[in-house]
Amino acid sequence: MSPQEVNGAVPEKSTTFRTQADEHADHEETLQNLRTGKYDDWPNEAAFHGLTEERGPVKIAVAGNMPTWAAGSLFRTGPGLYKIDTDAGATFEMSHWFDGLAHTHRFDIIPNEQGSVEVFYSSRRQGQEMMEVIKKQGTWPYYSFGQKADPCLGLFSKAMAAFKGLRESPEEKWHNNINVVVHVNPPGLDAAAGNIAGKRKLAVTENDPKMLGHKPELPKSIWISTDNCTMKQIDPKTLEPIGWATQDVLHPELKGPMSCAHAQRDPETGDLFNYNLELGPKPTYRVFRVEASTGKTEILATIREPIVSPAYIHSLFLSPNFVVLCIPTSHFGLNGTQIPWERNLLDALRPYDPSRKTQWIVIDRKHGKGVVARFETDGRFFFHTVNSFEEKADSDSSDTNLFCDVIDFGSHEFIHSLYLDVILDRDSAAKNFYQDEKRARNSLAHLTRYQFTINPDSPANKLPTNPDPKNHQVFRIPAPHAGELPTINPLYATKKHRYVYSLPFRGRSTLPDAMVKTDTETREVLFWDNPKGHTPGEAIFVPRPGGEEEDDGVLLSVVLDGEKGKSYLLCLDAKTMTETGRAGVDFAIALGFHGAHVPSGRTVTRMEGQE
C-alpha cells in the first residue's frame, strides 16, 4: 500500500500567523467557541475506545520527507485502555483521562541507503496486572489520579480500602498505573533495574528487528514515572515492564509517597533533580540530586514548615545554579492524609482559594547552601514548567536575575475538564462545565514568564516583607497563542530561549486542538493549520546537527485523525511550522502524554548509501 493510500499526500504548506495585537481577540474567540459548543463536531472517541497493542515492530508507510538526521527511536507513553470487561459480566470504565491503563509506543526512524528513512512502529500495554485485578474485583482497588469512587462503597469499606492502600505489598507495586513521562538512562537505579528477572518469563516479540532488516540503536534503560515515588522500568526493545523502584532506593530519607513526574536533568552532567514529599502531621519536601557519574543521591534541601503546604506538583524548574520548587494552589487536604481516604489525588485537593499564593522556593544546587530565596506570586495552578535561565542583574551587583517560564492556569478546576464525560460530552457534560464563565476562563492556559532577583546575602529563611506579586511577572501570553505540553529546543535547556512550542486550546475541541510556535521576544505566533478532527500530541523537538539557529530542527508529534480513526507520526519544520512528512498506521493510537527521542547517531547520507 502506498503512503498516499494510507495517509494521503502531504498537504500544501498551510500556517496561520498572528501577533500580540491579536491576543485578546483570539482569546475571546476561544471562549465564544466554548459558549456555543463549537467542539461538538470534533471527533475524539477513537482516542479512548477500541485501542489495541501492536507489539511489532511493523513497517509503516512514509509520505513526504523525514530528514535522516532525525533518525532514532521516539518513545511515547500515556493512557491506553479505559474499558475492561469483568469476570462478573459487567464493564468497568475509567473516569478520568489520566487514569487510562499505561500504554507505551515506539517509532523507529531508520535511515536507508537511498538517503531517506523507513519508520517502524511498536507498542505494548504496561497495565496487565492492574487489568487482571479489575477483571476479578470489578473495581479499581488502588490509588488513582481521579477515578470516581464506587457509589456503593460504604463508610466501613472506604476506611478499610484506605488502610489497605497504606500497606501495599512489593508485588502490588506492579499494579501501579505509571503512564506519564519517559526517562532515558536515569542515574541511580542500576541496583533496582530488572528486578523482575528470574520471576517471570520475558515475552518475545513476534517480529524480531533483525529479521526485518533493521536494528534500532536503543538506550540501556527506559523508566516511566508518574506523580508519585514509584517508577516502572520497561524493556527498550519489547516495551514490556521488567522492573520497578521507589525513591527510597536512591536515598533512605526519600520515603514520602509523592513526587513530580517531570524530574529535571542537567544538560551538561546528566544529573537528575527531583523532590520527594512526605505527608502527615509535618509534611516534608526533600529536594534531591542524583549524580550521573556516581549514581549517588544528595539531599539539597529539606523543607518542613507550617506555611509550606503539601501540594500536587507535576514539574519543577532547573537553572544553571538553582532548583526551583514552585508550590501552586493545588494543596492537598488534611496535610495529604485525605489522599488515602479519597483514594485519588483529585478529590483530595482542597477547593481553590484565590487568597492562597503561589510559593517559590529557590535551592542552590552548586555550593550546598540549601534554600537561598523565597518569593510569592498570585495563586495559580500549573502542570508544566517550560525552562529556567539566569542573567546577571547588574554589572556592579552580585545579584542574579532568575527567569522561569511556565504554562499556568487561573485555578486547578481545569483538571475536572479532563474527565471522559466532559471530553466526550456525555449528557452535555462539556456544556455544563464550560457554561460557567469564570471556570471556562480559568481553564485556558497562559505562557507566563516570572523574574526573581536572587541576592546571595539576603536571608532565605522567610518570605519577603509585603511582596508585590505583579513585580515578578514579565509577560503572560494567553491561549490560544500558547498551550499545554510545551517544549523547546533541548539544546537551550537552562539557557535563554526564544521559542516555545505547545498545544493550544481554541475551543474547537474538548482537548488541545492545534500546535503553535510562540516567539517570546516579539509575541508573534505561528500555527500549524491541522485539518478539522486532527488532534496533535506533544511535539518533540529534534535539533538539526550543527544548526546555528534556535528553531533549526523538526517537531515530531503523534496525531489522531478522529474522523478516520487512524493516527500518524507527523514531522514539521520547526522554523516554518509546515509539514515535511508523515508516517501513518491503520488504527488509532491513544492520545498520550509525553515522550523522548533517542538519536541513533547513524545518519546515512545518499553518498554514503551509494558507496
Side-chain angles (χ1 to χ4, degrees):
M1 183 178 293
S2 70
Q4 286 73 24
E5 290 176 294
V6 176
N7 299 307
V10 174
E12 295 292 327
K13 294 182 178 180
S14 180
T15 58
T16 298
F17 174 78
R18 306 290 279 173
T19 70
Q20 183 176 356
D22 301 310
E23 286 180 356
H24 178 74
D26 291 351
H27 188 72
E28 292 302 313
E29 181 183 356
T30 297
L31 288 166
Q32 181 64 15
N33 289 341
L34 294 175
R35 295 187 196 102
T36 59
K38 184 86 171 178
Y39 46 76
D40 278 342
D41 57 354
W42 189 289
N44 289 317
E45 288 77 9
F48 302 97
H49 300 319
L51 302 167
T52 60
E53 290 181 307
E54 178 52 74
R55 296 189 178 181
V58 294
K59 186 176 181 179
I60 60 178
V62 178
N65 175 57
M66 292 185 178
T68 56
W69 47 261
S73 293
L74 175 67
F75 291 86
R76 296 278 304 156
T77 198
L81 183 66
Y82 293 89
K83 288 186 177 181
I84 298 172
D85 293 330
T86 70
D87 292 344
T91 298
F92 178 86
E93 185 172 5
M94 283 66 174
S95 308
H96 199 278
W97 180 23
F98 293 3
D99 285 325
L101 296 190
H103 196 154
T104 301
H105 314 262
R106 192 183 76 233
F107 291 86
D108 296 321
I109 304 171
I110 310 294
N112 59 30
E113 294 183 350
Q114 287 72 47
S116 58
V117 301
E118 298 174 344
V119 179
F120 297 81
Y121 171 77
S122 309
S123 77
R124 189 182 181 95
R125 291 172 177 158
Q126 273 83 47
Q128 188 68 33
E129 287 83 1
M130 173 66 89
M131 185 171 67
E132 293 300 323
V133 170
I134 292 174
K135 285 180 65 177
K136 292 178 182 178
Q137 300 188 16
T139 188
W140 186 295
Y142 301 102
Y143 294 156
S144 68
F145 183 86
Q147 181 66 26
K148 292 294 187 182
D150 184 345
C152 299
L153 194 65
L155 185 64
F156 177 76
S157 297
K158 191 171 183 179
M160 291 303 294
F163 178 73
K164 183 181 184 299
L166 296 174
R167 301 184 62 179
E168 191 174 70
S169 69
E171 184 60 25
E172 287 177 307
K173 293 293 184 183
W174 288 103
H175 302 163
N176 282 319
N177 191 33
I178 301 175
N179 64 0
V180 182
V181 176
V182 177
H183 298 271
V184 179
N185 300 328
L189 293 174
D190 288 346
N195 54 28
I196 192 175
K199 298 181 181 179
R200 305 180 190 182
K201 184 178 179 180
L202 297 181
V204 178
T205 52
E206 296 180 5
N207 300 319
D208 188 275
K210 295 179 182 178
M211 296 174 62
L212 290 175
H214 84 284
K215 186 178 180 181
E217 295 182 5
L218 300 175
K220 177 183 177 182
S221 69
I222 292 287
W223 292 75
I224 311 294
S225 67
T226 186
D227 294 308
N228 63 38
C229 67
T230 305
M231 297 178 69
K232 187 171 284 188
Q233 186 187 19
I234 65 171
D235 186 309
K237 178 180 177 182
T238 67
L239 304 180
E240 63 189 310
I242 60 171
W244 59 265
T246 50
Q247 288 178 343
D248 57 0
V249 305
L250 300 173
H251 193 289
E253 292 185 25
L254 303 179
K255 53 190 175 181
M258 302 302 299
S259 189
C260 80
H262 290 272
Q264 293 283 355
R265 300 288 293 271
D266 185 308
E268 295 183 1
T269 66
D271 292 354
L272 181 145
F273 297 82
N274 205 342
Y275 78 89
N276 177 272
L277 173 58
E278 187 176 355
L279 306 173
K282 295 182 179 180
T284 305
Y285 291 91
R286 293 180 176 90
V287 178
F288 64 91
R289 171 180 58 216
V290 185
E291 292 187 5
S293 60
T294 65
K296 295 182 178 179
T297 299
E298 177 186 5
I299 307 294
L300 300 177
T302 299
I303 303 155
R304 183 191 298 115
E305 304 166 17
I307 63 169
V308 180
S309 297
Y312 170 68
I313 307 172
H314 188 64
S315 56
L316 73 169
F317 295 91
L318 187 73
S319 72
N321 291 291
F322 307 109
V323 184
V324 184
L325 181 66
C326 178
I327 302 176
T329 57
S330 47
H331 296 176
F332 290 119
L334 302 176
N335 282 340
T337 58
Q338 196 164 340
I339 297 174
W341 179 255
E342 298 292 350
R343 307 295 295 157
N344 72 63
L345 299 184
L346 188 47
D347 288 335
L349 296 179
R350 294 170 59 187
Y352 172 69
D353 181 352
S355 68
R356 292 200 297 264
K357 300 296 184 182
T358 298
Q359 293 180 305
W360 301 75
I361 301 176
V362 183
I363 298 124
D364 172 71
R365 72 178 182 95
K366 290 288 184 69
H367 309 292
K369 295 181 179 180
V371 176
V372 294
R374 299 169 183 254
F375 304 94
E376 282 189 345
T377 58
D378 288 335
R380 292 173 184 157
F381 170 75
F382 73 95
F383 277 120
H384 297 109
T385 62
V386 178
N387 192 30
S388 184
F389 60 92
E390 301 167 19
E391 292 181 348
K392 191 171 178 59
D394 194 320
S395 59
D396 299 327
S397 169
S398 60
D399 291 356
T400 297
N401 284 334
L402 173 67
F403 297 88
C404 298
D405 284 16
V406 64
I407 302 295
D408 62 15
F409 299 83
S411 78
H412 59 265
E413 293 174 300
F414 155 71
I415 311 175
H416 291 271
S417 72
L418 302 178
Y419 275 107
L420 295 191
D421 283 351
V422 178
I423 292 174
L424 301 177
D425 197 22
R426 297 168 177 161
D427 300 322
S428 300
K431 179 181 179 181
N432 294 335
F433 184 88
Y434 290 114
Q435 68 182 359
D436 184 312
E437 176 77 11
K438 185 176 181 180
R439 185 164 57 190
R441 287 188 179 274
N442 282 338
S443 297
L444 297 183
H446 292 72
L447 169 57
T448 307
R449 174 169 294 175
Y450 293 95
Q451 175 182 337
F452 307 103
T453 300
I454 311 297
N455 185 326
D457 300 320
S458 296
N461 59 348
K462 60 182 179 180
L463 291 166
T465 305
N466 300 321
D468 183 356
K470 294 182 180 178
N471 284 342
H472 297 305
Q473 185 172 296
V474 180
F475 59 68
R476 195 163 194 243
I477 301 173
H481 287 212
E484 257 297 351
L485 302 177
T487 190
I488 63 170
N489 183 334
L491 299 179
Y492 285 76
T494 72
K495 301 176 183 178
K496 185 175 183 179
H497 64 278
R498 178 173 179 175
Y499 302 110
V500 177
Y501 302 86
S502 61
L503 307 184
F505 183 48
R506 299 176 295 181
R508 303 177 190 180
S509 169
T510 51
L511 289 169
D513 50 27
M515 195 182 307
V516 66
K517 173 185 181 181
T518 306
D519 187 329
T520 62
E521 292 185 5
T522 65
R523 292 181 69 156
E524 296 171 339
V525 298
L526 195 58
F527 290 91
W528 168 58
D529 282 338
N530 51 315
K532 177 184 172 183
H534 288 230
T535 303
E538 174 195 49
I540 302 294
F541 191 108
V542 181
R544 181 193 300 272
E548 296 182 357
E549 297 182 320
E550 183 181 338
D551 56 356
D552 192 357
V554 295
L555 302 172
L556 299 178
S557 171
V558 180
V559 180
L560 170 70
D561 179 347
E563 296 282 359
K564 295 182 178 180
K566 301 179 181 181
S567 295
Y568 56 93
L569 175 63
L570 172 72
C571 183
L572 291 183
D573 184 320
K575 185 181 295 292
T576 64
M577 294 299 285
T578 56
E579 179 175 346
T580 69
R582 63 173 68 179
V585 297
D586 218 9
F587 46 85
I589 296 175
L591 294 175
F593 298 140
H594 299 288
H597 178 264
V598 182
S600 71
R602 297 190 308 115
T603 302
V604 179
T605 65
R606 181 175 298 273
M607 182 177 296
E608 290 170 337
Q610 291 172 341
E611 292 177 349

